[in-house]
Amino acid sequence: AQKITQTQPGMFVQEKEAVTLDCTYDTSDPSYGLFWYKQPSSGEMIFLIYQGSYDQQNATEGRYSLNFQKARKSANLVISASQLGDSAMYFCAMREFSYDKVIFGPGTSLSVIP
Amino acid sequence: DAGVIQSPRHEVTEMGQEVTLRCKPISGHDYLFWYRQTMMRGLELLIYFNNNVPIDDSGMPEDRFSAKMPNASFSTLKIQPSEPRDSAVYFCASSSPALGGGNVLTFGAGSRLTVL
């Protein structure tokens, strides 16, 4: 069954430090995509980064990188050089391409401390 | 492009009333998703459409909820009758595989529903 787990309800990080947000998933579909979204206190859902199950290299987008370990079924988000504006909820999501259903994990609340 | 447009942004209603939430997806997107977000249950997928056809409505909580997509540019989520436990933020999102990149969802701003 399709499932996303984010085991860290809340995280703190010092400004300018790097932080890793954990995400593990479960699927029987060999073809899938993994996504991370940011939801600031204002409420909008902002797409950050995408990783396909067949991609050979880990995805990167500016200060965001995705540590994809397919055998372990994990897709952790790494934010480098944290900024105060990074304080938000972060959601991991998965899309099984044979079915196209997109589900989200419970989220991790990140607080950046000055 | 104006992005995914949802209306109303805020709705306050009394228990038992009918509520209709509206969504206009991005032009050319052929997938449309409805999600509900609450503190207790997080982001729940309610239903999604492909080319205006409902593909999976297994997330719709009960018969009081219904969703339609009469054409490629409009979808509604209706709750009748509404109950206080329906209070939540309802998001609409659309996507297109033709754009590549995993068919990324673009979200609307959400409709915050409060049922008294």
Side-chain angles (χ1 to χ4, degrees):
Chain A
Q2 194 180 14
K3 186 178 179 181
I4 298 279
T5 302
Q6 294 179 255
T7 57
Q8 307 152 314
M11 289 279 288
F12 290 88
V13 63
Q14 204 76 36
E15 194 178 7
K16 300 180 184 177
E17 297 293 311
V19 63
T20 297
L21 306 183
D22 294 343
C23 172
T24 58
Y25 59 91
D26 191 20
T27 179
S28 56
D29 193 334
S31 181
Y32 53 90
L34 297 154
F35 308 81
W36 278 90
Y37 283 82
K38 173 184 178 181
Q39 186 178 41
S41 58
S42 51
E44 69 267 34
M45 294 289 288
I46 303 167
F47 166 71
L48 296 178
I49 195 167
Y50 162 75
Q51 178 85 43
S53 59
Y54 292 117
D55 292 344
Q56 295 298 311
Q57 292 189 323
N58 287 344
T60 60
E61 287 287 349
R63 294 187 299 111
Y64 304 110
S65 60
L66 202 153
N67 184 2
F68 181 47
Q69 298 186 45
K70 192 171 182 176
R72 298 180 63 183
K73 292 190 175 178
S74 74
N76 299 338
L77 177 70
V78 180
I79 305 174
S80 63
S82 297
Q83 302 172 355
L84 296 178
D86 294 335
S87 294
M89 282 291 290
Y90 288 82
F91 293 95
C92 180
M94 176 172 64
R95 184 175 205 143
E96 295 178 330
F97 291 129
S98 64
Y99 197 42
D100 276 323
K101 190 171 184 176
V102 182
I103 65 164
F104 284 76
T108 295
S109 175
L110 177 66
S111 297
V112 180
I113 305 167
Chain B
D1 198 321
V4 177
I5 300 172
Q6 291 188 245
S7 64
R9 291 294 313 279
H10 302 275
E11 174 94 3
V12 180
T13 190
E14 293 193 345
M15 183 173 64
Q17 296 298 305
E18 177 179 295
V19 173
T20 299
L21 307 178
R22 298 172 177 79
C23 176
K24 177 179 169 54
I26 292 173
S27 178
H29 281 194
D30 43 13
Y31 283 87
L32 186 139
F33 296 74
W34 281 101
Y35 291 88
R36 177 172 69 176
Q37 185 177 32
T38 60
M39 287 294 291
M40 290 297 294
R41 301 176 69 90
L43 269 163
E44 300 174 275
L45 175 61
L46 300 177
I47 185 171
Y48 69 101
F49 296 82
N50 182 23
N51 292 320
N52 314 337
V53 176
I55 302 301
D56 187 334
D57 65 354
S58 60
M60 296 287 262
E62 47 198 277
D63 292 346
R64 297 185 297 106
F65 285 69
S66 63
K68 294 182 180 180
M69 192 164 186
N71 57 61
S73 59
F74 184 65
S75 177
T76 59
L77 178 67
K78 186 174 292 188
I79 308 171
Q80 165 64 18
S82 58
E83 297 182 3
R85 60 190 167 129
D86 301 331
S87 297
V89 178
Y90 291 81
F91 283 103
C92 174
S94 69
S95 70
S96 170
L99 298 177
N103 206 348
V104 173
L105 298 186
T106 300
F107 279 79
S111 294
R112 180 175 295 276
L113 173 65
T114 302
V115 183
L116 302 174

